[in-house]
Amino acid sequence: ANFSEQVVESFPSDISTGIYYGWACVGNGDVHKMVLSIGWNPFYKNTKKSVETHIIHTFKEDFYGEILSIVIIGYIRPEKNFDSLAALILAIQEDIEEAKRQLDLPEHLKLKEDNFFHQTEGRIVNNH
């Protein structure tokens, strides 16, 4: 799930590019583990910074237009370029496994139940 340019521009300017892990919730649904990429995606030669969320869950249908709420818990690694698509895919798989391990820790697991994820009505999102 990619955030819009407007949302990306509202992220703190001093946040390091790289791969993060945390929790994500689509609409008022369940909270799932996620991996987040913040940066330029050098393999694809992006000209604009992007924030892409990989929710570690299989959804039955698309969720375009839904509110995506995330909580970033930790940092996995810096952004980097890859020699091949296969190397990129392998790194993504390793990032997902690291996120799963980290998010199973009790101190991270408890954040899954935070009220943040269930207050979408009336919540201000990106100053709107």
Side-chain angles (χ1 to χ4, degrees):
N2 298 346
F3 283 104
S4 69
E5 284 183 37
Q6 180 183 11
V7 172
V8 173
E9 290 169 4
S10 72
F11 266 63
S13 60
D14 60 347
I15 192 166
S16 297
T17 60
I19 310 303
Y20 295 81
Y21 61 89
W23 297 104
C25 179
V26 176
N28 289 317
D30 294 334
V31 178
H32 301 286
K33 295 174 181 175
M34 66 93 179
V35 175
L36 185 80
S37 170
I38 299 175
W40 304 95
N41 297 329
F43 184 78
Y44 291 105
K45 298 176 176 48
N46 286 6
T47 57
K48 293 189 180 236
K49 192 178 202 179
S50 67
V51 178
E52 301 176 0
T53 307
H54 173 79
I55 301 172
I56 305 171
H57 175 75
T58 302
F59 291 89
K60 292 180 182 172
E61 54 192 39
D62 290 335
F63 49 86
Y64 291 105
E66 291 284 342
I67 292 175
L68 174 61
S69 303
I70 65 167
V71 172
I72 299 171
I73 306 296
Y75 185 75
I76 296 176
R77 63 172 174 83
E79 181 178 46
K80 63 182 182 177
N81 200 354
F82 295 91
D83 295 331
S84 67
L85 182 58
L88 170 61
I89 291 170
L90 180 61
I92 291 169
Q93 291 169 337
E94 290 171 351
D95 296 337
I96 289 169
E97 291 308 311
E98 178 64 14
K100 288 178 181 178
R101 279 190 296 275
Q102 291 296 326
L103 291 166
D104 280 339
L105 295 173
E107 62 268 26
H108 296 153
L109 200 53
K110 70 181 179 184
L111 295 169
K112 179 181 180 180
E113 307 303 324
D114 194 276
N115 287 336
F116 167 80
F117 290 113
H118 303 292
Q119 296 180 2
T120 54
E121 252 183 74
R123 181 170 19 148
I124 295 173
V125 179
N126 297 320
N127 301 319
H128 297 99

